[in-house]
Amino acid sequence: MTQDSINKFVQQGCFMKYSKDRILTTHTGSLARPLDLIDLMLKKEQSEDYDPKVFAQLVSSAVSDVVERQINAGIDVICDGEQGKPSFLTYVKERLSGFETDVTDRGEDPWRGSREVIAFPEYYEWAAGTRAGIVSPRSATICTGPIRYIGHETLQTDINNLKAALIGHNPSEVFIPAISPSDIEGRMKNEYYSNSSDYLYAIADAMSEEYKAIVEAGFLLQVDDPRLVTYYVTNPEASVIDCRNWAEHRVEAINHALRDIPAEKVRFHTCYGINIGPRIHEMALKDIIDIMLKVNAGGYSFEAANPAHEHEWEVWKTANLPEGKVLVPGVITNSTNVVEHPQLIGQRLVRFANIVGKENVIGGSDCGFSSFASSEPEIHPTVVWAKFKSMAEGARIASKTLWN
């Protein structure tokens, strides 16, 4: 893209693509950050001295690099890799007013007491000791006042970095991820609003400004909402019916936040929050699929490549995907460093295409590969790029089968 084409791109805006003449590829969003950027992120998160100008330069350079790498790997629908965010969860701390940090409270671990940890305490204790240090909250964030969106300048920096990185490239589509209202609700304790519904909708109203700004900048919006399905595993006292009722209200809040945005400019992503683990106590797709499809989005991204959920492709046979909607099943996973064979990826894509139509399928990843900036991510960055190349080749294999 030239600067003129970037301007035209912004004016036209992005829409949820269909795989019209071949299977397209994309991923969930987060990718590994450079080590020098992680070092500054850690200092920033811990309120230590750092050079904002150097930080900005490192982010801009990282976005340019990750855009080029995605395109070179054969990814059609790309993003900025969330290079400027310490995590998909915690970035909103500097974009919403009404919150305070309690340095005396490290906050609650949402996985402590979950169905998985109860079932496999020895495994998760061992895993906690072997995982790398993560750029994550070192203290609790609490809502103590009215919530307003104040992240306009920071968001504009994200947008400008991505636009600059696109010059010289011509991807099929470009998206920017943003966190869902319910994930913010679950991470940050409410001590201001009189009830959970008021709190949730205050967040939704604030985040709607970020959602609209992304779309108005010409990009496709991806709403990241792992909590839609992780609520079940983190609340062992709740039944499936309880979780469905909870999820219905959260989807209503998402749609409230999306009320001014056409569905074809939105894609929705949900996942289970655990990358590597036993994962036998997660909510079944069949128990949440109808609620997920109520989100006002043009496409739905979900886990379908890891051994705990790959079998669920059959659920789509009776799901009645609404007309005009696109599926973005994970065909590569963040739960193993094994690189999926292109033929396996092709088979996975053909399965979905045979159910919902080849034009309604885009190959994707189960989840992000660096949801929290870490010097030692669970999936090594070199493996991630190999997975992307394998996905692109698998999409070509599937396309030959489907368009033959």
Side-chain angles (χ1 to χ4, degrees):
M1 288 183 176
T2 63
Q3 187 59 57
D4 287 342
S5 62
I6 292 286
N7 294 337
K8 184 178 180 181
F9 169 82
V10 171
Q11 291 174 355
Q12 293 176 341
C14 286
F15 296 85
M16 195 71 207
K17 288 283 188 180
Y18 295 92
S19 294
K20 291 186 177 179
D21 52 10
R22 64 181 178 89
I23 296 293
L24 298 175
T25 59
T26 187
H27 63 103
T28 300
S30 62
L31 297 169
R33 291 76 157 173
L35 295 181
D36 52 357
L37 176 56
I38 291 175
D39 288 342
L40 287 193
M41 279 185 170
L42 186 57
K43 289 182 178 180
K44 183 180 179 182
E45 284 287 290
Q46 294 180 334
S47 300
E48 298 178 5
D49 289 338
Y50 75 100
D51 190 330
K53 290 184 178 179
V54 173
F55 180 82
Q57 291 168 355
L58 290 176
V59 172
S60 177
S61 176
V63 173
S64 294
D65 180 66
V66 85
V67 163
E68 185 171 3
R69 282 174 173 262
Q70 289 172 82
I71 291 171
N72 289 343
I75 302 301
D76 298 300
V77 183
I78 68 168
C79 70
D80 65 353
E82 301 190 46
Q83 297 297 288
K85 299 173 181 175
S87 83
F88 87 98
L89 274 172
T90 61
Y91 82 94
V92 294
K93 289 194 300 179
E94 62 183 42
R95 302 195 187 189
L96 298 178
S97 69
F99 291 95
E100 293 183 4
T101 298
D102 184 353
V103 295
T104 65
D105 184 354
R106 290 182 60 85
E108 296 181 3
D109 179 355
W111 293 104
R112 183 176 299 168
S114 69
R115 297 173 197 264
E116 278 288 298
V117 173
I118 290 172
F120 298 97
E122 297 86 358
Y123 168 79
Y124 285 101
E125 182 179 358
W126 168 81
T130 58
R131 294 221 18 212
I134 293 174
V135 177
S136 60
R138 295 303 193 273
S139 53
T141 303
I142 302 168
C143 178
T144 58
I147 298 172
R148 301 286 186 272
Y149 190 78
I150 58 172
H152 305 89
E153 184 177 346
T154 306
L155 175 58
Q156 191 59 51
T157 298
D158 288 346
I159 290 169
N160 291 343
N161 283 336
L162 185 50
K163 287 180 180 178
L166 289 171
I167 295 176
H169 302 291
N170 190 31
S172 297
E173 203 74 280
V174 186
F175 70 96
I176 293 181
I179 191 172
S180 71
S182 67
D183 271 277
I184 300 172
E185 172 202 24
R187 175 66 64 169
M188 301 179 183
K189 185 179 179 181
N190 169 39
E191 291 186 355
Y192 176 79
Y193 291 91
S194 60
N195 57 69
S196 62
S197 182
D198 287 349
Y199 179 47
L200 177 66
Y201 273 80
I203 297 170
D205 280 329
M207 288 305 296
S208 68
E209 294 194 40
E210 177 159 304
Y211 299 166
K212 286 186 285 187
I214 289 171
V215 171
E216 288 171 358
F219 297 108
L220 188 69
L221 165 67
Q222 175 177 287
V223 177
D224 285 336
D225 188 18
R227 197 167 180 240
L228 184 74
V229 292
T230 59
Y231 186 80
Y232 174 81
V233 72
T234 55
N235 291 274
E237 75 287 352
S239 67
V240 169
I241 295 298
D242 292 335
C243 293
R244 282 179 56 84
N245 291 336
W246 176 92
E248 288 269 15
H249 187 49
R250 271 67 196 175
V251 167
E252 289 171 359
I254 291 174
N255 288 337
H256 176 75
L258 295 172
R259 60 193 180 277
D260 298 321
I261 303 175
E264 62 269 21
K265 295 191 176 186
V266 180
R267 72 183 203 181
F268 176 79
H269 170 72
T270 192
C271 59
Y272 292 87
I274 298 174
N275 296 344
I276 299 173
R279 302 185 59 176
I280 65 172
H281 295 284
E282 295 173 334
M283 194 168 198
L285 179 62
K286 64 181 177 63
D287 292 327
I288 196 70
I289 191 170
D290 58 323
I291 297 175
M292 180 179 74
L293 290 177
K294 291 180 180 180
V295 175
N296 188 36
Y300 303 93
S301 166
F302 54 95
E303 294 195 36
N306 67 72
H309 295 281
E310 183 176 3
H311 67 285
E312 292 179 322
W313 64 272
E314 292 187 312
V315 175
W316 292 97
K317 291 180 179 179
T318 56
N320 297 317
L321 180 69
E323 185 177 354
K325 304 297 184 179
V326 175
L327 293 188
V328 188
V331 292
I332 57 173
T333 187
N334 59 320
S335 65
T336 176
N337 278 284
V338 175
V339 177
E340 296 84 351
H341 195 282
Q343 288 185 340
L344 174 61
I345 292 170
Q347 291 168 2
R348 288 170 171 169
L349 289 167
V350 169
R351 286 177 192 163
F352 284 98
N354 286 339
I355 296 173
V356 301
K358 57 191 178 184
E359 69 281 359
N360 298 321
V361 175
I362 295 177
S365 60
D366 277 352
C367 191
F369 288 96
S370 190
S371 296
F372 291 85
S374 170
S375 61
E376 296 181 25
E378 292 169 301
I379 308 300
H380 195 274
T382 59
V383 176
V384 174
W385 297 115
K387 283 174 175 277
F388 280 6
K389 290 179 180 179
S390 190
M391 178 167 61
E393 179 58 28
R396 285 190 284 270
I397 292 171
S399 296
K400 288 180 181 178
T401 299
L402 295 167
W403 274 271
N404 188 1

